[in-house]
């Protein structure tokens, strides 16, 4: 958690260094073609490039994803849940359902994760909702559990609703998450 800001600074300064090197290379080409330039304008060009790059959505989103609050708001992007099943006939129903939960965060462990799994009918009405608890998920680890059979349902929605992590929640069990739909 304490490394969050130094890592962001390394990313920003690395980007600035790359851009400033590119800017100097471009400036040298222009200097050969245009003759001597004002030294002040040459020095300010890399700074302008860095400011424009920081405004770029990809760089801003990269910086945002390092904050704990942002990770918790978009936890389903980091704790990826997936439900696979075999449909039972044309009337619907779920057979051999498997729920998979993968921790894609390299430096975060989860002591407890509560996953909400909703079974939907053809017309997207909720038929049933169950909750599954996953314990002690280390970085890069994947855990699986079985779902009970259901006589109805054609889609399954899964999402992380609560979690406990020393790194992200300081050991508290907090509400989090977004919905993921499996068909």
């Amino acid at each position: 958690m304490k490394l969050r800001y130094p890592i962001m600074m390394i990313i920003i300064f690395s980007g600035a260094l790359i851009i400033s090197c590119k800017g100097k290379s471009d400036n040298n080409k222009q200097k050969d073609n245009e003759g001597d330039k004002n030294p002040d304008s040459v020095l300010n060009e890399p700074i302008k490039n860095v400011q424009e790059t920081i405004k770029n959505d990809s760089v801003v989103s990269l910086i945002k994803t390092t904050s704990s609050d942002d990770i918790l708001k978009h936890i389903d992007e980091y704790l990826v849940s997936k439900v696979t099943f075999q449909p039972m006939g044309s009337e619907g129903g779920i057979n051999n359902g498997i729920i998979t939960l993968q921790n894609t965060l390299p430096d975060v462990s989860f002591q407890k994760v509560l996953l909400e799994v909703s079974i939907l009918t053809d017309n997207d009405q909720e038929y049933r909702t169950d909750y599954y608890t996953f314990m002690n998920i280390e970085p890069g680890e994947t855990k699986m559990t079985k779902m009970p059979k259901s006589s109805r349902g054609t889609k399954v929605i899964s999402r992380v609703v609560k979690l406990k992590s020393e790194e992200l929640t300081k050991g508290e069990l907090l509400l989090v998450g977004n919905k993921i739909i499996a068909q």
Side-chain angles (χ1 to χ4, degrees):
M1 191 69 178
K2 291 181 182 180
L3 294 177
R4 174 176 62 188
Y5 295 109
I7 291 172
M8 287 190 324
M9 296 306 294
I10 290 170
I11 292 169
I12 291 171
F13 288 120
S14 297
L17 180 63
I18 291 168
I19 290 169
S20 67
C21 290
K22 181 185 179 304
K24 286 187 180 188
S25 171
D26 292 343
N27 288 340
N28 289 340
K29 289 176 190 173
Q30 289 175 354
K31 195 172 193 177
D32 290 341
N33 296 335
E34 299 173 6
D36 288 73
K37 261 189 166 182
N38 179 353
D40 291 334
S41 66
V42 172
L43 291 175
N44 289 331
E45 284 183 26
I47 293 171
K48 290 177 186 174
N49 289 338
V50 170
Q51 290 170 343
E52 290 171 10
T53 304
I54 290 173
K55 289 179 186 175
N56 182 335
D57 288 340
S58 63
V59 173
V60 171
S61 66
L62 178 64
I63 292 168
K64 283 183 183 177
T65 58
T66 59
S67 81
S68 294
D69 290 338
D70 195 51
I71 291 171
L72 292 173
K73 286 178 188 175
H74 304 290
I75 194 64
D76 289 310
E77 295 175 20
Y78 304 99
L79 266 177
V80 180
S81 61
K82 182 179 177 183
V83 179
T84 57
F85 60 90
Q86 294 174 344
M88 289 177 26
S90 60
E91 299 290 317
I94 293 175
N95 193 21
N96 296 328
I98 302 288
I99 302 165
T100 306
L101 185 64
Q102 180 183 17
N103 179 3
T104 64
L105 290 166
D107 299 326
V108 178
S109 296
F110 296 93
Q111 289 74 47
K112 187 174 192 177
V113 176
L114 184 66
L115 192 69
E116 178 184 84
V117 177
S118 297
I119 298 173
L120 305 178
T121 60
D122 274 341
N123 55 1
D124 289 335
Q125 290 189 357
E126 189 175 308
Y127 167 65
R128 176 170 130 187
T129 298
D130 295 314
Y131 295 88
Y132 297 86
T133 302
F134 292 85
M135 304 293 288
N136 301 320
I137 305 172
E138 297 299 319
E141 188 175 16
T142 300
K143 296 223 175 178
M144 295 187 291
T145 191
K146 290 184 177 182
M147 268 178 73
K149 284 184 182 180
S150 172
S151 60
R152 295 181 58 194
T154 57
K155 298 178 192 173
V156 179
I157 298 175
S158 63
R159 69 181 185 126
V160 176
V161 291
K162 282 187 177 183
L163 63 83
K164 178 181 178 181
S165 168
E166 290 297 324
E167 295 88 352
L168 294 177
T169 68
K170 296 183 174 111
E172 294 183 42
L173 189 62
L174 296 181
L175 288 170
V176 293
N178 289 323
K179 288 191 176 186
I180 304 289
I181 298 178
Q183 294 183 7

